[in-house]
mmCIF file of all heavy atoms in Angstrom:
data_model
loop_
_atom_site.group_PDB
_atom_site.id
_atom_site.type_symbol
_atom_site.label_atom_id
_atom_site.label_comp_id
_atom_site.label_asym_id
_atom_site.label_seq_id
_atom_site.Cartn_x
_atom_site.Cartn_y
_atom_site.Cartn_z
ATOM 1 N N THR L 788 37.875 89.692 61.699
ATOM 2 C CA THR L 788 37.832 90.635 62.808
ATOM 3 C C THR L 788 38.106 92.095 62.287
ATOM 4 O O THR L 788 38.491 92.210 61.101
ATOM 5 C CB THR L 788 38.966 90.409 63.836
ATOM 6 O OG1 THR L 788 40.254 90.493 63.153
ATOM 7 C CG2 THR L 788 38.897 88.929 64.372
ATOM 8 N N PRO L 789 37.768 93.163 62.975
ATOM 9 C CA PRO L 789 38.001 94.469 62.541
ATOM 10 C C PRO L 789 39.524 94.674 62.145
ATOM 11 O O PRO L 789 39.788 95.280 61.183
ATOM 12 C CB PRO L 789 37.664 95.360 63.732
ATOM 13 C CG PRO L 789 36.579 94.630 64.410
ATOM 14 C CD PRO L 789 36.932 93.122 64.251
ATOM 15 N N ILE L 790 40.325 93.977 62.872
ATOM 16 C CA ILE L 790 41.877 94.055 62.616
ATOM 17 C C ILE L 790 42.067 93.317 61.194
ATOM 18 O O ILE L 790 42.723 93.937 60.309
ATOM 19 C CB ILE L 790 42.580 93.364 63.653
ATOM 20 C CG1 ILE L 790 42.458 94.086 64.953
ATOM 21 C CG2 ILE L 790 44.076 93.157 63.267
ATOM 22 C CD1 ILE L 790 43.013 93.446 66.111
ATOM 23 N N GLY L 791 41.633 92.136 61.023
ATOM 24 C CA GLY L 791 41.904 91.389 59.823
ATOM 25 C C GLY L 791 41.300 92.165 58.545
ATOM 26 O O GLY L 791 41.830 92.139 57.506
ATOM 27 N N GLY L 792 40.083 92.612 58.746
ATOM 28 C CA GLY L 792 39.276 93.287 57.550
ATOM 29 C C GLY L 792 40.059 94.487 57.093
ATOM 30 O O GLY L 792 40.141 94.731 55.961
ATOM 31 N N SER L 793 40.544 95.182 58.049
ATOM 32 C CA SER L 793 41.140 96.516 57.718
ATOM 33 C C SER L 793 42.502 96.188 57.113
ATOM 34 O O SER L 793 42.941 96.980 56.128
ATOM 35 C CB SER L 793 41.285 97.521 58.923
ATOM 36 O OG SER L 793 41.957 96.845 59.955
ATOM 37 N N LEU L 794 43.296 95.308 57.640
ATOM 38 C CA LEU L 794 44.505 94.958 57.047
ATOM 39 C C LEU L 794 44.392 94.379 55.563
ATOM 40 O O LEU L 794 45.167 94.621 54.747
ATOM 41 C CB LEU L 794 45.306 94.089 57.858
ATOM 42 C CG LEU L 794 45.809 94.575 59.215
ATOM 43 C CD1 LEU L 794 46.501 93.591 60.043
ATOM 44 C CD2 LEU L 794 46.743 95.871 58.867
ATOM 45 N N LEU L 795 43.358 93.548 55.437
ATOM 46 C CA LEU L 795 43.086 92.982 54.164
ATOM 47 C C LEU L 795 42.757 94.012 53.044
ATOM 48 O O LEU L 795 43.271 94.094 51.980
ATOM 49 C CB LEU L 795 41.934 91.966 54.104
ATOM 50 C CG LEU L 795 41.622 91.184 52.884
ATOM 51 C CD1 LEU L 795 42.857 90.446 52.423
ATOM 52 C CD2 LEU L 795 40.487 90.301 53.105
ATOM 53 N N ALA L 796 41.993 95.043 53.504
ATOM 54 C CA ALA L 796 41.578 96.176 52.541
ATOM 55 C C ALA L 796 42.839 96.951 52.280
ATOM 56 O O ALA L 796 43.054 97.428 51.205
ATOM 57 C CB ALA L 796 40.457 96.940 53.156
ATOM 58 N N LEU L 797 43.682 97.259 53.292
ATOM 59 C CA LEU L 797 44.832 97.984 53.141
ATOM 60 C C LEU L 797 45.855 97.209 52.160
ATOM 61 O O LEU L 797 46.631 97.910 51.441
ATOM 62 C CB LEU L 797 45.527 98.207 54.568
ATOM 63 C CG LEU L 797 46.655 99.121 54.524
ATOM 64 C CD1 LEU L 797 46.191 100.489 54.175
ATOM 65 C CD2 LEU L 797 47.207 99.198 55.893
ATOM 66 N N SER L 798 45.924 95.930 52.250
ATOM 67 C CA SER L 798 46.840 95.199 51.417
ATOM 68 C C SER L 798 46.521 95.314 49.924
ATOM 69 O O SER L 798 47.348 95.085 49.087
ATOM 70 C CB SER L 798 46.865 93.703 51.832
ATOM 71 O OG SER L 798 45.649 93.044 51.449
ATOM 72 N N PHE L 799 45.290 95.601 49.590
ATOM 73 C CA PHE L 799 44.938 95.820 48.168
ATOM 74 C C PHE L 799 44.964 97.251 47.757
ATOM 75 O O PHE L 799 44.465 97.650 46.693
ATOM 76 C CB PHE L 799 43.493 95.240 47.882
ATOM 77 C CG PHE L 799 43.488 93.811 47.872
ATOM 78 C CD1 PHE L 799 42.942 93.011 48.992
ATOM 79 C CD2 PHE L 799 44.013 93.034 46.855
ATOM 80 C CE1 PHE L 799 42.959 91.665 48.903
ATOM 81 C CE2 PHE L 799 44.108 91.669 46.727
ATOM 82 C CZ PHE L 799 43.521 90.963 47.827
ATOM 83 N N LYS L 800 45.550 98.105 48.639
ATOM 84 C CA LYS L 800 45.816 99.516 48.322
ATOM 85 C C LYS L 800 44.517 100.225 47.991
ATOM 86 O O LYS L 800 44.444 101.021 47.100
ATOM 87 C CB LYS L 800 46.847 99.672 47.201
ATOM 88 C CG LYS L 800 48.162 99.152 47.573
ATOM 89 C CD LYS L 800 49.147 99.262 46.531
ATOM 90 C CE LYS L 800 50.606 98.854 46.887
ATOM 91 N NZ LYS L 800 50.788 97.697 47.600
ATOM 92 N N VAL L 801 43.434 99.978 48.759
ATOM 93 C CA VAL L 801 42.219 100.690 48.673
ATOM 94 C C VAL L 801 42.497 102.141 49.270
ATOM 95 O O VAL L 801 43.072 102.234 50.376
ATOM 96 C CB VAL L 801 41.068 99.934 49.393
ATOM 97 C CG1 VAL L 801 39.780 100.733 49.321
ATOM 98 C CG2 VAL L 801 40.913 98.679 48.778
#
Side-chain angles (χ1 to χ4, degrees):
T788 63
I790 296 169
S793 56
L794 291 178
L795 184 60
L797 189 63
S798 71
F799 286 105
K800 295 181 177 43
V801 178

